[in-house]
Each structure stands twice: as structure tokens, then as C-alpha cells.
Amino acid sequence: MLTYFVSDLITAPPGTMRKVVIDEPHPDLGPELELAGPLRGTARIHRIQHGLLVQCDLSASVDCECARCLQPTTYEMHSHFDEAFRFAGHEVEPEGFRLSDQILDLTEPVRQYLVMELPINPVCRPDCRGLCPVCGEPLQDHECRVDSSSLSEPWGPLANLLQTETQKR
């Protein structure tokens, strides 16, 4: 759990700071973010006028599929965020975070910021060649042995089908 007891900071004067080491072996951050390993990082929690300011640096890895060759790959994510957590009774923007009792729960902001770090098109390596346009196999260590002459004539397979149909008549 990414929850921290912060009663000492709540009663401390503004400007007080505490550093927290984050090392969660199996964090539960929701179904859209299945981490491949532990979540690690640091959080600096500062007491401010009407709450706490959290400055967080995180790193994690997620299992995904290469957008080019469709092979499984692991993507390393790094994220930084600064978020204010307001005390109850103080105005909070609709998307802001509140402190609940004396517990600081970083689960939701961590989830949101890591989801934003997910790549739209992850690749297993920058020079990934993708899939063979003829046989559909990954081109990593593969040379296609299928005749590619039909690729130069895009309607070739349909013409063959038409010839087969006319021969049947």
C-alpha cells in the first residue's frame, strides 16, 4: 500500500519536510496498469499552509506488446509529480486530492501519473523491423522464404481466384 501516517507533519509548522522511500514489491494500481516488477522511488512530503505538498520520483516496469513485431517486451517507466493534498475543510479543485484523517494515500496519484507514462506504441527496441509483410513472422532474426512476387502485383491473388472460378464453369 502506498499509504503513510503523517500526523507529525499535520501538526508541524509549514516548511517541515519528511522524505519517504517507496519500495512496493507488488502494488495494486488497477487493471490497466499491471507492473512487471516493484515500484520504487522517493517522496518528499512538505507541510504547506493548508495541507501537504508531495514531490515524488518513481520508476517501474510494465509488460506490454511491441507495436511493430507483437512480441512481449518490458517497458521501463520513470515519472515525477508534484501534488498538493489539502486538509479537510479547505477548498480543493475538482481534480485535487484530500488528506483523509492522518493518512496520506499516494495510490491514486501514482496510478494516474504512471498511466500517463505508458507508451502509445511501445517497441521492443528502436530498430525493430516489425512483421514480414508476406508470411507475418517477426523480422528480428527471420528472412522470409515465401515467394514475394505476388507483392509486386497487389491484385495478383484475386486474379488467380478469378481464373480458378472461370475454369470451374
Side-chain angles (χ1 to χ4, degrees):
M1 295 274 301
L2 295 167
T3 56
Y4 303 94
F5 192 67
V6 291
S7 64
D8 58 329
L9 281 173
I10 292 171
T11 59
T16 307
M17 193 269 298
R18 183 198 318 170
K19 186 175 180 179
V20 175
V21 174
I22 299 170
D23 189 9
E24 289 290 324
H26 305 288
D28 182 18
L29 299 174
E32 72 273 3
L33 193 63
E34 293 290 330
L35 298 184
L39 174 67
R40 293 199 170 107
T42 58
R44 290 169 304 288
I45 308 167
H46 302 269
R47 171 67 162 85
I48 57 175
Q49 181 78 24
H50 300 291
L52 300 175
L53 173 67
V54 178
Q55 298 175 312
C56 201
D57 291 300
L58 299 168
S59 64
S61 57
V62 65
D63 286 333
C64 52
E65 185 177 81
C66 178
R68 294 180 189 163
C69 68
L70 307 178
Q71 297 298 308
T73 187
T74 301
Y75 180 74
E76 298 295 325
M77 297 186 298
H78 303 282
S79 181
H80 171 83
F81 67 85
D82 299 335
E83 282 292 338
F85 287 75
R86 299 291 181 179
F87 295 139
H90 292 279
E91 205 171 301
V92 175
E93 297 81 25
E95 65 277 352
F97 297 101
R98 276 193 194 276
L99 280 169
S100 151
D101 295 325
Q102 299 174 353
I103 304 292
L104 174 66
D105 188 358
L106 295 178
T107 306
E108 186 57 22
V110 165
R111 185 192 69 76
Q112 289 180 13
Y113 282 92
L114 286 179
V115 165
M116 286 192 298
E117 291 296 321
L118 287 173
I120 293 172
N121 292 317
V123 291
C124 58
R125 57 185 203 225
D127 63 338
C128 178
R129 294 173 44 204
L131 297 175
C132 175
V134 177
C135 67
E137 292 293 320
L139 291 172
Q140 306 292 13
D141 303 314
H142 168 76
E143 288 300 322
C144 186
R145 290 179 172 65
V146 177
D147 179 27
S148 62
S149 61
S150 64
L151 285 181
S152 60
E153 190 177 328
W155 301 106
L158 290 176
N160 292 341
L161 181 63
L162 183 60
Q163 287 175 356
T164 306
E165 285 297 317
T166 55
Q167 289 174 356
K168 288 182 181 178
R169 291 182 187 170

